[in-house]
Amino acid sequence: MKRRLLVKTRNVKNFVDLMNNLIDKSSEVPKMGLVYGDPGLGKTKTAIWWAGINDAVYVRAQNKMTSHGILEKVVEELGEAPSKKSTDLMKQCIAHLRLNPQIIIIDEVDYLIGQSKTIETLRDLHDLTGAPVVLIGMQEAKTKLGKFRHLYDRISEIVEFKPFSKEDMETIVDELSEIKITDEAKDIFFERTNRFRQTIKGISTLENLAKTNGLNKIDVKQVKGLKIEQ
Ligand SMILES: Nc1ncnc2c1ncn2[C@@H]1O[C@H](COP(=O)(O)OP(=O)(O)OP(=O)(O)O)[C@@H](O)[C@H]1O
Ligand SMILES: [Mg+2]
């Protein structure tokens, strides 16, 4: 199995486009982004990868986190010692980001939705620092955020992470598998799995099978015999 940090699936490409669109917007346009979708589709993985190569701030919200708590995390990620008071934390964000503009990515935003105080803080973070703020959440996040008009109106880019398409599965298999898998075998494999972890396990099992049996390609027979945990 080839070790790749990230496979460039459709979701990954859409994420990159969203980020570039936000960066390209003129200063009068609000620069909040929303990325949402079902679990396990790679939202977190993609965000951390993108933040790493683009020097963005990535923070993950936690259960019952207050607006103070999220600001504290952002300040820490900016590399500063967090102040005690919330108003000072916001001042730290403003001072730091005005001098060194960085995109802020907040993952698991579902934990912050529900308290109007945290929603206001996210809005302030965007309005007062001028930094693009990207929120990542679950499928329901979009509907829930829609109820907060003042925040929702600032969201100018939205991407939904979708289950892998056949094309994505091709990309994943081609990028990760070291052994050739015939087109017929791929078709059967894709009918049986479309989740990343299952796919990785499947490829690895098929590779081992090929190795022990001295096969130079994987065909229908091997894929049919593959056990896939649901
Ligand atoms: N394009 C990809 N390239 C490499 N690995 C991926 C890709 N997409 C998903 N994965 C893998 O799938 C698994 C789930 O991804 P991740 O945790 O990022 O999903 P998520 O959408 O953030 O889920 P949740 O909503 O539960 O937070 C991870 O182990 C990750 O490594
Ligand atoms: Mg996640």
Side-chain angles (χ1 to χ4, degrees), residues 22 30-32 57 78 93 97-98 100-104 122-134:
L22 279 185
K31 286 185 254 312
M32 288 195 85
V57 172
L78 290 171
C93 290
L97 289 164
R98 288 224 175 127
N100 323 276
Q102 269 175 292
I103 295 195
I104 298 172
L122 295 177
R123 176 159 60 105
D124 284 348
L125 195 60
H126 166 268
D127 290 3
L128 304 176
T129 64
V133 175
V134 177

PDB file of all heavy atoms in Angstrom, residues 22 30-32 57 78 93 97-98 100-104 122-134:
ATOM      1  N   LEU A  22     -12.640  32.154  -0.936  1.00  0.00           N
ATOM      2  CA  LEU A  22     -12.701  33.060   0.223  1.00  0.00           C
ATOM      3  C   LEU A  22     -11.535  34.035   0.196  1.00  0.00           C
ATOM      4  O   LEU A  22     -11.697  35.235   0.429  1.00  0.00           O
ATOM      5  CB  LEU A  22     -12.645  32.270   1.533  1.00  0.00           C
ATOM      6  CG  LEU A  22     -13.919  31.627   2.058  1.00  0.00           C
ATOM      7  CD1 LEU A  22     -13.652  31.004   3.416  1.00  0.00           C
ATOM      8  CD2 LEU A  22     -15.078  32.620   2.162  1.00  0.00           C
ATOM      9  N   PRO A  30     -18.275  39.575   2.980  1.00  0.00           N
ATOM     10  CA  PRO A  30     -18.009  38.750   4.161  1.00  0.00           C
ATOM     11  C   PRO A  30     -17.309  37.448   3.766  1.00  0.00           C
ATOM     12  O   PRO A  30     -17.596  36.876   2.714  1.00  0.00           O
ATOM     13  CB  PRO A  30     -19.395  38.470   4.736  1.00  0.00           C
ATOM     14  CG  PRO A  30     -20.375  38.905   3.732  1.00  0.00           C
ATOM     15  CD  PRO A  30     -19.704  39.803   2.753  1.00  0.00           C
ATOM     16  N   LYS A  31     -16.387  37.032   4.625  1.00  0.00           N
ATOM     17  CA  LYS A  31     -15.562  35.871   4.273  1.00  0.00           C
ATOM     18  C   LYS A  31     -15.727  34.750   5.287  1.00  0.00           C
ATOM     19  O   LYS A  31     -14.771  34.325   5.916  1.00  0.00           O
ATOM     20  CB  LYS A  31     -14.094  36.296   4.198  1.00  0.00           C
ATOM     21  CG  LYS A  31     -13.782  37.119   2.962  1.00  0.00           C
ATOM     22  CD  LYS A  31     -12.322  37.417   2.871  1.00  0.00           C
ATOM     23  CE  LYS A  31     -11.967  38.834   3.211  1.00  0.00           C
ATOM     24  NZ  LYS A  31     -12.723  39.897   2.624  1.00  0.00           N
ATOM     25  N   MET A  32     -16.977  34.281   5.414  1.00  0.00           N
ATOM     26  CA  MET A  32     -17.156  33.095   6.251  1.00  0.00           C
ATOM     27  C   MET A  32     -17.496  31.934   5.337  1.00  0.00           C
ATOM     28  O   MET A  32     -18.189  32.093   4.337  1.00  0.00           O
ATOM     29  CB  MET A  32     -18.279  33.296   7.263  1.00  0.00           C
ATOM     30  CG  MET A  32     -17.883  34.264   8.360  1.00  0.00           C
ATOM     31  SD  MET A  32     -18.972  34.207   9.788  1.00  0.00           S
ATOM     32  CE  MET A  32     -18.251  32.869  10.711  1.00  0.00           C
ATOM     33  N   VAL A  57      -5.036  28.703  10.888  1.00  0.00           N
ATOM     34  CA  VAL A  57      -5.255  28.324  12.280  1.00  0.00           C
ATOM     35  C   VAL A  57      -6.361  27.271  12.305  1.00  0.00           C
ATOM     36  O   VAL A  57      -7.453  27.508  11.796  1.00  0.00           O
ATOM     37  CB  VAL A  57      -5.698  29.557  13.103  1.00  0.00           C
ATOM     38  CG1 VAL A  57      -6.117  29.144  14.502  1.00  0.00           C
ATOM     39  CG2 VAL A  57      -4.582  30.576  13.135  1.00  0.00           C
ATOM     40  N   LEU A  78      -2.575  30.870  17.780  1.00  0.00           N
ATOM     41  CA  LEU A  78      -1.851  32.002  17.180  1.00  0.00           C
ATOM     42  C   LEU A  78      -0.451  32.141  17.786  1.00  0.00           C
ATOM     43  O   LEU A  78       0.338  32.955  17.354  1.00  0.00           O
ATOM     44  CB  LEU A  78      -2.637  33.301  17.370  1.00  0.00           C
ATOM     45  CG  LEU A  78      -3.939  33.451  16.566  1.00  0.00           C
ATOM     46  CD1 LEU A  78      -4.711  34.679  17.009  1.00  0.00           C
ATOM     47  CD2 LEU A  78      -3.656  33.494  15.071  1.00  0.00           C
ATOM     48  N   CYS A  93      -6.738  38.541  19.493  1.00  0.00           N
ATOM     49  CA  CYS A  93      -7.022  38.017  18.137  1.00  0.00           C
ATOM     50  C   CYS A  93      -6.955  39.159  17.126  1.00  0.00           C
ATOM     51  O   CYS A  93      -6.340  39.015  16.061  1.00  0.00           O
ATOM     52  CB  CYS A  93      -8.409  37.381  18.070  1.00  0.00           C
ATOM     53  SG  CYS A  93      -8.541  35.840  18.968  1.00  0.00           S
ATOM     54  N   LEU A  97      -4.145  39.148  14.244  1.00  0.00           N
ATOM     55  CA  LEU A  97      -4.591  38.833  12.877  1.00  0.00           C
ATOM     56  C   LEU A  97      -4.527  40.040  11.939  1.00  0.00           C
ATOM     57  O   LEU A  97      -4.362  39.885  10.741  1.00  0.00           O
ATOM     58  CB  LEU A  97      -5.999  38.243  12.905  1.00  0.00           C
ATOM     59  CG  LEU A  97      -6.036  36.818  13.480  1.00  0.00           C
ATOM     60  CD1 LEU A  97      -7.450  36.418  13.862  1.00  0.00           C
ATOM     61  CD2 LEU A  97      -5.459  35.815  12.483  1.00  0.00           C
ATOM     62  N   ARG A  98      -4.646  41.244  12.513  1.00  0.00           N
ATOM     63  CA  ARG A  98      -4.525  42.422  11.644  1.00  0.00           C
ATOM     64  C   ARG A  98      -3.095  42.546  11.129  1.00  0.00           C
ATOM     65  O   ARG A  98      -2.861  42.952   9.993  1.00  0.00           O
ATOM     66  CB  ARG A  98      -4.927  43.687  12.415  1.00  0.00           C
ATOM     67  CG  ARG A  98      -6.433  43.715  12.641  1.00  0.00           C
ATOM     68  CD  ARG A  98      -7.000  45.087  12.373  1.00  0.00           C
ATOM     69  NE  ARG A  98      -8.456  45.057  12.486  1.00  0.00           N
ATOM     70  CZ  ARG A  98      -9.144  45.877  13.243  1.00  0.00           C
ATOM     71  NH1 ARG A  98      -8.528  46.808  13.957  1.00  0.00           N
ATOM     72  NH2 ARG A  98     -10.446  45.799  13.276  1.00  0.00           N
ATOM     73  N   ASN A 100      -0.795  39.849  11.135  1.00  0.00           N
ATOM     74  CA  ASN A 100      -0.472  38.629  10.391  1.00  0.00           C
ATOM     75  C   ASN A 100      -1.762  37.918   9.999  1.00  0.00           C
ATOM     76  O   ASN A 100      -2.222  37.055  10.722  1.00  0.00           O
ATOM     77  CB  ASN A 100       0.334  37.637  11.257  1.00  0.00           C
ATOM     78  CG  ASN A 100       1.299  38.318  12.169  1.00  0.00           C
ATOM     79  OD1 ASN A 100       2.395  38.656  11.774  1.00  0.00           O
ATOM     80  ND2 ASN A 100       0.876  38.556  13.414  1.00  0.00           N
ATOM     81  N   PRO A 101      -2.322  38.286   8.854  1.00  0.00           N
ATOM     82  CA  PRO A 101      -3.603  37.675   8.467  1.00  0.00           C
ATOM     83  C   PRO A 101      -3.473  36.153   8.277  1.00  0.00           C
ATOM     84  O   PRO A 101      -2.520  35.684   7.674  1.00  0.00           O
ATOM     85  CB  PRO A 101      -3.928  38.352   7.129  1.00  0.00           C
ATOM     86  CG  PRO A 101      -3.066  39.561   7.072  1.00  0.00           C
ATOM     87  CD  PRO A 101      -1.834  39.245   7.850  1.00  0.00           C
ATOM     88  N   GLN A 102      -4.409  35.434   8.872  1.00  0.00           N
ATOM     89  CA  GLN A 102      -4.432  33.973   8.739  1.00  0.00           C
ATOM     90  C   GLN A 102      -5.889  33.532   8.664  1.00  0.00           C
ATOM     91  O   GLN A 102      -6.753  34.171   9.275  1.00  0.00           O
ATOM     92  CB  GLN A 102      -3.809  33.326   9.984  1.00  0.00           C
ATOM     93  CG  GLN A 102      -2.321  33.063   9.895  1.00  0.00           C
ATOM     94  CD  GLN A 102      -1.784  32.534  11.211  1.00  0.00           C
ATOM     95  OE1 GLN A 102      -1.754  33.255  12.201  1.00  0.00           O
ATOM     96  NE2 GLN A 102      -1.373  31.282  11.210  1.00  0.00           N
ATOM     97  N   ILE A 103      -6.150  32.455   7.963  1.00  0.00           N
ATOM     98  CA  ILE A 103      -7.512  31.927   7.927  1.00  0.00           C
ATOM     99  C   ILE A 103      -7.753  31.117   9.202  1.00  0.00           C
ATOM    100  O   ILE A 103      -6.852  30.409   9.662  1.00  0.00           O
ATOM    101  CB  ILE A 103      -7.723  31.037   6.690  1.00  0.00           C
ATOM    102  CG1 ILE A 103      -7.609  31.900   5.431  1.00  0.00           C
ATOM    103  CG2 ILE A 103      -9.051  30.296   6.746  1.00  0.00           C
ATOM    104  CD1 ILE A 103      -8.133  31.244   4.181  1.00  0.00           C
ATOM    105  N   ILE A 104      -8.946  31.243   9.760  1.00  0.00           N
ATOM    106  CA  ILE A 104      -9.272  30.477  10.965  1.00  0.00           C
ATOM    107  C   ILE A 104     -10.281  29.394  10.620  1.00  0.00           C
ATOM    108  O   ILE A 104     -11.332  29.671  10.051  1.00  0.00           O
ATOM    109  CB  ILE A 104      -9.840  31.402  12.049  1.00  0.00           C
ATOM    110  CG1 ILE A 104      -8.775  32.425  12.414  1.00  0.00           C
ATOM    111  CG2 ILE A 104     -10.264  30.617  13.288  1.00  0.00           C
ATOM    112  CD1 ILE A 104      -9.258  33.487  13.320  1.00  0.00           C
ATOM    113  N   LEU A 122     -18.168  34.062  17.171  1.00  0.00           N
ATOM    114  CA  LEU A 122     -17.663  33.672  15.849  1.00  0.00           C
ATOM    115  C   LEU A 122     -17.834  34.827  14.859  1.00  0.00           C
ATOM    116  O   LEU A 122     -16.960  35.108  14.048  1.00  0.00           O
ATOM    117  CB  LEU A 122     -18.399  32.433  15.325  1.00  0.00           C
ATOM    118  CG  LEU A 122     -18.196  31.133  16.108  1.00  0.00           C
ATOM    119  CD1 LEU A 122     -19.041  30.014  15.520  1.00  0.00           C
ATOM    120  CD2 LEU A 122     -16.716  30.737  16.117  1.00  0.00           C
ATOM    121  N   ARG A 123     -18.992  35.488  14.979  1.00  0.00           N
ATOM    122  CA  ARG A 123     -19.268  36.621  14.092  1.00  0.00           C
ATOM    123  C   ARG A 123     -18.275  37.755  14.361  1.00  0.00           C
ATOM    124  O   ARG A 123     -17.713  38.324  13.428  1.00  0.00           O
ATOM    125  CB  ARG A 123     -20.706  37.085  14.337  1.00  0.00           C
ATOM    126  CG  ARG A 123     -21.104  38.295  13.555  1.00  0.00           C
ATOM    127  CD  ARG A 123     -22.601  38.372  13.443  1.00  0.00           C
ATOM    128  NE  ARG A 123     -23.253  38.465  14.744  1.00  0.00           N
ATOM    129  CZ  ARG A 123     -23.782  39.583  15.229  1.00  0.00           C
ATOM    130  NH1 ARG A 123     -23.753  40.693  14.549  1.00  0.00           N
ATOM    131  NH2 ARG A 123     -24.370  39.580  16.405  1.00  0.00           N
ATOM    132  N   ASP A 124     -18.053  38.046  15.647  1.00  0.00           N
ATOM    133  CA  ASP A 124     -17.097  39.108  16.013  1.00  0.00           C
ATOM    134  C   ASP A 124     -15.692  38.770  15.517  1.00  0.00           C
ATOM    135  O   ASP A 124     -14.971  39.631  15.027  1.00  0.00           O
ATOM    136  CB  ASP A 124     -17.046  39.305  17.532  1.00  0.00           C
ATOM    137  CG  ASP A 124     -18.264  40.071  18.031  1.00  0.00           C
ATOM    138  OD1 ASP A 124     -18.992  40.630  17.177  1.00  0.00           O
ATOM    139  OD2 ASP A 124     -18.487  40.102  19.250  1.00  0.00           O
ATOM    140  N   LEU A 125     -15.330  37.495  15.688  1.00  0.00           N
ATOM    141  CA  LEU A 125     -13.997  37.064  15.270  1.00  0.00           C
ATOM    142  C   LEU A 125     -13.801  37.393  13.784  1.00  0.00           C
ATOM    143  O   LEU A 125     -12.752  37.896  13.381  1.00  0.00           O
ATOM    144  CB  LEU A 125     -13.877  35.555  15.496  1.00  0.00           C
ATOM    145  CG  LEU A 125     -12.491  34.932  15.468  1.00  0.00           C
ATOM    146  CD1 LEU A 125     -11.601  35.532  16.535  1.00  0.00           C
ATOM    147  CD2 LEU A 125     -12.576  33.417  15.662  1.00  0.00           C
ATOM    148  N   HIS A 126     -14.820  37.139  13.004  1.00  0.00           N
ATOM    149  CA  HIS A 126     -14.764  37.439  11.574  1.00  0.00           C
ATOM    150  C   HIS A 126     -14.782  38.951  11.317  1.00  0.00           C
ATOM    151  O   HIS A 126     -13.924  39.488  10.617  1.00  0.00           O
ATOM    152  CB  HIS A 126     -15.935  36.767  10.863  1.00  0.00           C
ATOM    153  CG  HIS A 126     -16.165  37.265   9.472  1.00  0.00           C
ATOM    154  ND1 HIS A 126     -17.027  38.301   9.191  1.00  0.00           N
ATOM    155  CD2 HIS A 126     -15.619  36.903   8.287  1.00  0.00           C
ATOM    156  CE1 HIS A 126     -17.016  38.538   7.885  1.00  0.00           C
ATOM    157  NE2 HIS A 126     -16.164  37.706   7.320  1.00  0.00           N
ATOM    158  N   ASP A 127     -15.739  39.647  11.918  1.00  0.00           N
ATOM    159  CA  ASP A 127     -15.929  41.074  11.606  1.00  0.00           C
ATOM    160  C   ASP A 127     -14.774  41.934  12.115  1.00  0.00           C
ATOM    161  O   ASP A 127     -14.353  42.876  11.446  1.00  0.00           O
ATOM    162  CB  ASP A 127     -17.222  41.599  12.237  1.00  0.00           C
ATOM    163  CG  ASP A 127     -18.453  41.012  11.558  1.00  0.00           C
ATOM    164  OD1 ASP A 127     -18.283  40.168  10.658  1.00  0.00           O
ATOM    165  OD2 ASP A 127     -19.574  41.395  11.937  1.00  0.00           O
ATOM    166  N   LEU A 128     -14.294  41.637  13.311  1.00  0.00           N
ATOM    167  CA  LEU A 128     -13.317  42.529  13.937  1.00  0.00           C
ATOM    168  C   LEU A 128     -11.875  42.260  13.502  1.00  0.00           C
ATOM    169  O   LEU A 128     -11.038  43.144  13.539  1.00  0.00           O
ATOM    170  CB  LEU A 128     -13.415  42.452  15.471  1.00  0.00           C
ATOM    171  CG  LEU A 128     -14.805  42.755  16.056  1.00  0.00           C
ATOM    172  CD1 LEU A 128     -14.815  42.551  17.562  1.00  0.00           C
ATOM    173  CD2 LEU A 128     -15.234  44.185  15.730  1.00  0.00           C
ATOM    174  N   THR A 129     -11.592  41.016  13.108  1.00  0.00           N
ATOM    175  CA  THR A 129     -10.209  40.720  12.725  1.00  0.00           C
ATOM    176  C   THR A 129     -10.005  40.814  11.213  1.00  0.00           C
ATOM    177  O   THR A 129      -8.876  40.929  10.747  1.00  0.00           O
ATOM    178  CB  THR A 129      -9.796  39.279  13.125  1.00  0.00           C
ATOM    179  OG1 THR A 129     -10.591  38.354  12.391  1.00  0.00           O
ATOM    180  CG2 THR A 129      -9.967  39.040  14.612  1.00  0.00           C
ATOM    181  N   GLY A 130     -11.097  40.729  10.453  1.00  0.00           N
ATOM    182  CA  GLY A 130     -10.982  40.731   8.993  1.00  0.00           C
ATOM    183  C   GLY A 130     -10.505  39.398   8.441  1.00  0.00           C
ATOM    184  O   GLY A 130     -10.315  39.239   7.232  1.00  0.00           O
ATOM    185  N   ALA A 131     -10.310  38.420   9.329  1.00  0.00           N
ATOM    186  CA  ALA A 131      -9.819  37.105   8.880  1.00  0.00           C
ATOM    187  C   ALA A 131     -10.976  36.254   8.370  1.00  0.00           C
ATOM    188  O   ALA A 131     -12.054  36.257   8.955  1.00  0.00           O
ATOM    189  CB  ALA A 131      -9.140  36.384  10.046  1.00  0.00           C
ATOM    190  N   PRO A 132     -10.751  35.508   7.283  1.00  0.00           N
ATOM    191  CA  PRO A 132     -11.771  34.547   6.867  1.00  0.00           C
ATOM    192  C   PRO A 132     -11.946  33.489   7.960  1.00  0.00           C
ATOM    193  O   PRO A 132     -10.967  33.050   8.564  1.00  0.00           O
ATOM    194  CB  PRO A 132     -11.173  33.915   5.606  1.00  0.00           C
ATOM    195  CG  PRO A 132     -10.140  34.875   5.129  1.00  0.00           C
ATOM    196  CD  PRO A 132      -9.597  35.522   6.366  1.00  0.00           C
ATOM    197  N   VAL A 133     -13.186  33.125   8.231  1.00  0.00           N
ATOM    198  CA  VAL A 133     -13.464  32.108   9.248  1.00  0.00           C
ATOM    199  C   VAL A 133     -14.261  30.983   8.599  1.00  0.00           C
ATOM    200  O   VAL A 133     -15.311  31.222   8.023  1.00  0.00           O
ATOM    201  CB  VAL A 133     -14.271  32.712  10.435  1.00  0.00           C
ATOM    202  CG1 VAL A 133     -14.653  31.623  11.431  1.00  0.00           C
ATOM    203  CG2 VAL A 133     -13.469  33.811  11.131  1.00  0.00           C
ATOM    204  N   VAL A 134     -13.723  29.776   8.681  1.00  0.00           N
ATOM    205  CA  VAL A 134     -14.383  28.626   8.061  1.00  0.00           C
ATOM    206  C   VAL A 134     -14.887  27.688   9.149  1.00  0.00           C
ATOM    207  O   VAL A 134     -14.123  27.262  10.019  1.00  0.00           O
ATOM    208  CB  VAL A 134     -13.407  27.888   7.110  1.00  0.00           C
ATOM    209  CG1 VAL A 134     -14.065  26.654   6.518  1.00  0.00           C
ATOM    210  CG2 VAL A 134     -12.939  28.826   6.005  1.00  0.00           C
TER     211      VAL A 134
END
